[in-house]
Amino acid sequence: MKKTSTSVLPAGGALGDEPLLAVDDLHVEFVTRQGVVKAVNGVSYSLNPGETLAVLGESGSGKSVTAQAIMGILDMPPARIPRGEVRFRGTDLLRLPEDARSQVRGQRVAMIFQDALSALNPVFTVGSQIGEMFRVHRGASRRDAEKKAVELMDRVRIPGARQRVHDYPHQFSGGMRQRIMIAMSIALDPEVLIADEPTTALDVTVQAQIMELLAELQRESNMGLILITHDLGVVADVADKIAVMYGGRIVENALVHDIYRAPAHPYTKGLLDSIPRVDQKGQELYAIKGMPPNLLAMPSGCAFHPRCPYRQDNCVTEAPPLYEIGPTRSSACHYWREVLDGSHG
Amino acid sequence: MAATGEPILEVRDLVKHFPLNQGIIMRKQIGAIKAVDGVSFDLRRGETLGIVGESGCGKSTLAKLLMALERPTSGSVKINGREIAQARGGELKRVRRNIQMVMQDPYTSLNPRMTVGDIIGEPYEIHQEVAPKGDRRRKVQELLEVVGLNPDHINRYPHQFSGGQRQRIGIARGLALQPEIIVCDEPVSALDVSIQAQVINLLERLQNEFDLAYIFIAHDLSVVRHISDRVGVMYLGKMVELGKDTEIYDRPAHPYTQALLSAVPVPDPDGRERRERIILQGDPPSPANPPSGCRFRTRCWKAQEICAEQEPLLQIRPGTAHASACHFAETHDVVHV
Ligand SMILES: Nc1ncnc2c1ncn2[C@@H]1O[C@H](COP(=O)(O)OP(=O)(O)OP(=O)(O)O)[C@@H](O)[C@H]1O
Ligand SMILES: Nc1ncnc2c1ncn2[C@@H]1O[C@H](COP(=O)(O)OP(=O)(O)O)[C@@H](O)[C@H]1O
Ligand code: SF4
Ligand code: SF4
Ligand SMILES: [Mg+2]
Ligand SMILES: [Mg+2]
């Protein structure tokens, strides 16, 4: 692998074999009074230009912490990264000095946060917050920055952008605030956009608008999109490939069609089986038993074993590696073959 | 769940306007937020009525009116033929026993300083007749058992339970007075995906066991379809469509329902490129100043002049078997959910 000690990163263009963004065996821990919280325990995924990767998992599974590690916005301490790489165009961002890192952050790899209201500053107009991206990173004048802000608000389809550029965040609805967040994140034409549950707090009607907007922006610019979500419907709608997280690990990596047709990990299978289907009306829903794991007291062996219908004796002692089970597929389950076949469970 | 017999809940022309005031010293009413604006429906024993609609359309306000936690501006709510909306004192206490609520947020709806036993047993303080003091501990333990919690945990505090378990505590409390009706306002939205199915199964089991009727408010349309016998769709304080689950989901007649259903992402990537989707533009208008005539007309692709002039009533329309409030109601298959 290439070593980079200067702040000069490769420009865009052909990537060869290296993905646009590759997270490799990432570990993140938090030192807390109760002990060390192992929030991310060996996460690997990759993203190419124009591609949409969905990161699926329930709350606390480590989706946001992984994203924050990619962005370099974790507070260290309490966080620390004992192992792993985050390669952007072949350069490990974790080993870059802060000044080089800050050139990547927001400019080439940008993020939309889970909670738009608290991510926006209530005391500044939305125009000045969007425009700030240009003032800080491009040295634009106040007037030019405002002009750019109006353009961007138009681009994310906020009606009456020219008038509304002087409004404050609280004067916008939840959906409109999320558009403003999107406008800020795409301001500098990033190559990678990480969207952390961008529609979780929104109505389905507004969610449909936002997802359509993201897809359009992606088509226009060919950026890679990492969509963090727990919604199996949204994933099926937009993802090219999926990484499923459980207890701080990736338990399954697959192309979208493959995973919905035949999951290769019992957790993924359980999630898919628990979706209410029309023909199951009046019947009990399938439910994954038990509770998500406590990161301070992770189960031994496979973290899913207390809830797993496929469990065998060795699952309690041997943590499964992420088995390569096909050219575009992997599963962290000793018994992935049985799961794929759909036998018992 | 076959619903039978007389309605146990009758709601007629229910209205709740919240005054919009201006001025600090001389408070002057300058308008009103029309949170619920003329809603009527029945609920039968053992039946589940799902209520869906966008944020702010009045679902929670409706729930509070049914519970007599808010006083209506006008209209009537009858439980077993007795008016609750105007009831006071002892009469209010009596009718209230029959209707209980399960709230959205299991993290904030339970008092952190009370033990689980005190939380579940609290309704007995108000209704001593249901469980005399000596009998309470046993009753609470029974309830814990019914909702799938360990009866030995009666002295624990809410923070010692997970979200799904706290929701079970809320459900146990709702059951304490053996009500006939439970109003569930987003009972699973705050829970992890893998826990939602457990709580829905519990609610269905309890319904069968105790012949409960549910008002089930949720924004997850596939969950609502699974649990409901009938579904009401709300928009800006009005019920715009009301019918059996199959009628609403397979043959929606109101454009808003059609748009709402088509916006729900389908958990199956096959054929996603060909899927028809109605994307509504803009946000719902303010409930303080709703459009004249049909409230949906500012976002409706079928709107004509009459839609601004005449309010469409919720009634059965030609070519449909259930009630919808649209001058041009026409069933349309938008599939999925
Ligand atoms: N106490 C109140 N005073 C003034 N306005 C209120 C009050 N309670 C609710 N409203 C307004 O009434 C309307 C309906 O609110 P309600 O809480 O019933 O919506 P909802 O359908 O439950 O929405 P959500 O899906 O977000 O829970 C909203 O515009 C809300 O702001
Ligand atoms: N600053 C922090 N200190 C301690 N624990 C944290 C901190 N930030 C996150 N965590 C823990 O890390 C785990 C993963 O969190 P997160 O990535 O936010 O989950 P999600 O998958 O819901 O996005 C959770 O258990 C969370 O409580
Ligand atoms: S490794 Fe064992 S316990 Fe873990 S998911 Fe596979 S079968 Fe289940
Ligand atoms: S009444 Fe008119 S505006 Fe209202 S939903 Fe029907 S067609 Fe649309
Ligand atoms: Mg998160
Ligand atoms: Mg509500």
Side-chain angles (χ1 to χ4, degrees):
Chain A
M1 212 214 4
K2 203 163 32 181
K3 258 201 165 143
T4 317
S5 52
T6 68
S7 64
V8 187
L9 278 171
L15 283 159
D17 281 345
E18 185 66 40
L20 176 59
L21 182 81
V23 177
D24 200 349
D25 197 30
L26 183 71
H27 288 68
V28 183
E29 319 175 328
F30 294 95
V31 182
T32 70
R33 258 181 296 153
Q34 290 86 356
V36 176
V37 177
K38 298 193 167 184
V40 175
N41 308 303
V43 163
S44 304
Y45 54 64
S46 70
L47 181 74
N48 290 306
E51 204 170 50
T52 299
L53 164 73
V55 179
L56 182 79
E58 51 203 332
S59 87
S61 59
K63 307 181 297 292
S64 299
V65 170
T66 304
Q68 286 159 9
I70 295 172
M71 291 298 291
I73 53 173
L74 284 168
D75 283 326
M76 308 223 257
R80 58 184 191 211
I81 302 183
R83 234 157 79 200
E85 290 186 351
V86 174
R87 291 192 303 277
F88 174 68
R89 293 188 171 277
T91 303
D92 184 4
L93 298 179
L94 301 180
R95 308 236 155 11
L96 281 185
E98 178 51 35
D99 60 333
R101 192 84 197 264
S102 66
Q103 287 185 22
V104 177
R105 183 186 308 132
Q107 301 198 59
R108 303 184 66 183
V109 181
M111 180 158 167
I112 309 169
F113 293 92
Q114 196 158 354
D115 180 356
L117 185 53
S118 53
L120 290 166
N121 190 328
V123 303
F124 292 105
T125 65
V126 298
S128 74
Q129 291 184 64
I130 301 172
E132 189 179 276
M133 301 296 291
F134 296 99
R135 291 205 303 279
V136 172
H137 293 285
R138 298 277 193 268
S141 70
R142 203 158 276 278
R143 259 189 70 188
D144 285 345
E146 185 180 303
K147 230 176 84 197
K148 285 281 196 188
V150 173
E151 270 174 42
L152 275 164
M153 285 168 73
D154 267 334
R155 202 162 153 217
V156 297
R157 287 182 209 83
I158 294 174
R162 194 165 298 283
Q163 292 80 47
R164 301 217 67 183
V165 68
H166 301 297
D167 285 352
Y168 291 87
H170 75 265
Q171 292 171 282
F172 292 85
S173 68
M176 286 296 158
R177 283 198 286 260
Q178 199 52 279
R179 283 169 198 266
I180 291 160
M181 284 294 301
I182 293 173
M184 285 171 72
S185 68
I186 61 164
L188 305 173
D189 288 316
E191 291 153 79
V192 174
L193 178 61
I194 304 173
D196 191 356
E197 313 232 14
T199 59
T200 299
L202 305 175
D203 283 313
V204 283
T205 47
V206 183
Q207 169 172 286
Q209 297 170 357
I210 298 287
M211 293 315 301
E212 193 193 47
L213 173 65
L214 282 174
E216 261 179 53
L217 295 171
Q218 193 183 17
R219 268 198 302 277
E220 285 167 16
S221 66
N222 203 35
M223 66 187 174
L225 177 65
I226 297 180
L227 179 71
I228 298 175
T229 178
H230 60 256
D231 187 322
L232 288 154
V234 170
V235 173
D237 239 2
V238 301
D240 298 307
K241 56 189 194 184
I242 307 180
V244 183
M245 289 191 71
Y246 187 82
R249 290 194 65 189
I250 301 283
V251 294
E252 183 164 5
N253 256 318
L255 299 180
V256 69
H257 288 279
D258 292 340
I259 217 165
Y260 282 81
R261 233 168 261 148
H265 192 280
Y267 174 63
T268 321
K269 183 168 159 50
L271 287 180
L272 288 168
D273 286 347
S274 60
I275 300 171
R277 308 224 179 237
V278 179
D279 53 355
Q280 289 180 331
K281 177 115 183 163
Q283 296 168 26
E284 244 192 29
L285 289 175
Y286 175 81
I288 300 177
K289 63 177 187 183
M291 279 181 276
N294 172 358
L295 295 184
L296 278 166
M298 282 296 253
S300 62
C302 172
F304 191 58
H305 86 251
R307 312 174 76 185
C308 183
Y310 287 85
R311 179 187 58 226
Q312 303 288 327
D313 290 346
N314 67 325
C315 300
V316 182
T317 49
E318 290 166 44
L322 194 59
Y323 295 102
E324 298 269 341
I325 65 171
T328 54
R329 230 177 153 173
S330 49
S331 163
C333 172
H334 296 304
Y335 299 99
W336 59 268
R337 280 189 194 82
E338 285 78 353
V339 185
L340 256 187
D341 290 348
S343 55
H344 74 276
Chain B
M1 277 124 278
T4 48
E6 290 292 292
I8 52 173
L9 178 69
E10 293 165 273
V11 177
R12 292 293 174 273
D13 303 318
L14 196 58
V15 173
K16 179 68 188 182
H17 290 181
F18 293 104
L20 255 181
N21 295 315
Q22 200 178 45
I24 295 169
I25 300 161
M26 300 287 285
R27 289 188 63 83
K28 195 172 68 179
Q29 188 175 340
I30 54 160
I33 294 171
K34 298 171 175 146
V36 170
D37 209 14
V39 166
S40 305
F41 60 85
D42 288 345
L43 181 72
R44 274 163 237 285
R45 192 177 301 281
E47 182 187 38
T48 301
L49 175 67
I51 306 270
V52 299
E54 283 163 299
S55 181
C57 71
K59 306 181 296 293
S60 297
T61 306
L62 174 63
K64 288 182 200 142
L65 289 168
L66 301 182
M67 299 288 303
L69 295 172
E70 290 276 5
R71 293 252 163 219
T73 307
S74 63
S76 120
V77 177
K78 280 187 187 156
I79 295 177
N80 287 322
R82 279 149 114 179
E83 185 63 56
I84 188 170
Q86 308 304 334
R88 300 260 189 297
E91 170 70 6
L92 179 60
K93 205 175 111 177
R94 265 192 303 282
V95 275
R96 251 193 194 158
R97 224 192 97 176
N98 252 327
I99 184 161
Q100 295 292 320
M101 189 155 177
V102 176
M103 312 264 225
Q104 166 163 11
D105 190 348
Y107 296 91
T108 57
S109 60
L110 304 178
N111 185 337
R113 278 182 293 278
M114 283 166 73
T115 65
V116 166
D118 291 339
I119 290 172
I120 298 174
E122 197 182 25
Y124 298 139
E125 294 292 328
I126 306 156
H127 296 272
Q128 311 254 355
E129 72 284 3
V130 184
K133 266 227 150 56
D135 205 22
R136 275 190 208 161
R137 193 182 160 83
R138 193 186 53 79
K139 282 233 167 206
V140 168
Q141 288 190 316
E142 258 175 46
L143 285 166
L144 282 169
E145 191 122 42
V146 161
V147 298
L149 292 173
N150 186 340
D152 297 338
H153 291 171
I154 186 164
N155 291 323
R156 294 199 175 177
Y157 290 88
H159 75 264
Q160 295 172 286
F161 293 88
S162 72
Q165 291 174 324
R166 277 184 251 195
Q167 201 54 301
R168 288 171 193 263
I169 296 168
I171 293 170
R173 181 192 155 99
L175 290 172
L177 299 174
Q178 297 157 2
E180 293 174 285
I181 306 165
I182 295 191
V183 179
C184 306
D185 190 358
E186 305 268 11
V188 296
S189 343
L191 303 178
D192 270 320
V193 202
S194 75
I195 304 300
Q196 290 190 4
Q198 295 176 1
V199 172
I200 290 163
N201 286 342
L202 172 65
L203 286 170
E204 292 215 288
R205 181 166 65 72
L206 296 173
Q207 177 164 55
N208 292 336
E209 212 161 300
F210 302 111
D211 208 13
L212 296 168
Y214 289 145
I215 300 282
F216 191 91
I217 298 171
H219 66 255
D220 184 329
L221 286 126
S222 58
V223 166
V224 170
R225 172 164 212 175
H226 180 81
I227 201 167
S228 304
D229 301 298
R230 285 187 306 139
V231 177
V233 183
M234 286 184 72
Y235 187 79
L236 269 188
K238 297 256 180 211
M239 192 82 90
V240 297
E241 188 155 8
L242 179 63
K244 285 211 281 270
D245 57 318
T246 46
E247 289 164 343
I248 298 295
Y249 283 86
D250 297 336
R251 296 179 288 284
H254 195 286
Y256 176 65
T257 312
Q258 291 164 2
L260 193 64
L261 289 174
S262 85
V264 178
V266 189
D268 179 0
D270 285 337
R272 64 184 183 186
E273 300 77 17
R274 293 184 302 278
R275 216 161 273 154
E276 179 198 8
R277 182 154 294 172
I278 306 162
I279 300 216
L280 288 179
Q281 299 306 316
D283 295 322
S286 159
N289 190 16
S292 65
C294 173
R295 293 189 176 185
F296 186 56
R297 71 177 163 81
T298 51
R299 299 165 89 194
C300 182
W301 60 99
K302 285 166 80 178
Q304 305 279 326
E305 237 162 78
I306 183 180
C307 304
E309 290 154 8
Q310 213 179 316
E311 183 183 331
L313 300 178
L314 181 65
Q315 61 191 38
I316 294 176
R317 307 261 164 184
T320 67
H322 65 277
S324 58
C326 169
H327 295 305
F328 304 101
E330 192 180 10
T331 60
H332 179 52
D333 179 14
V334 279
V335 292
H336 357 295
V337 193

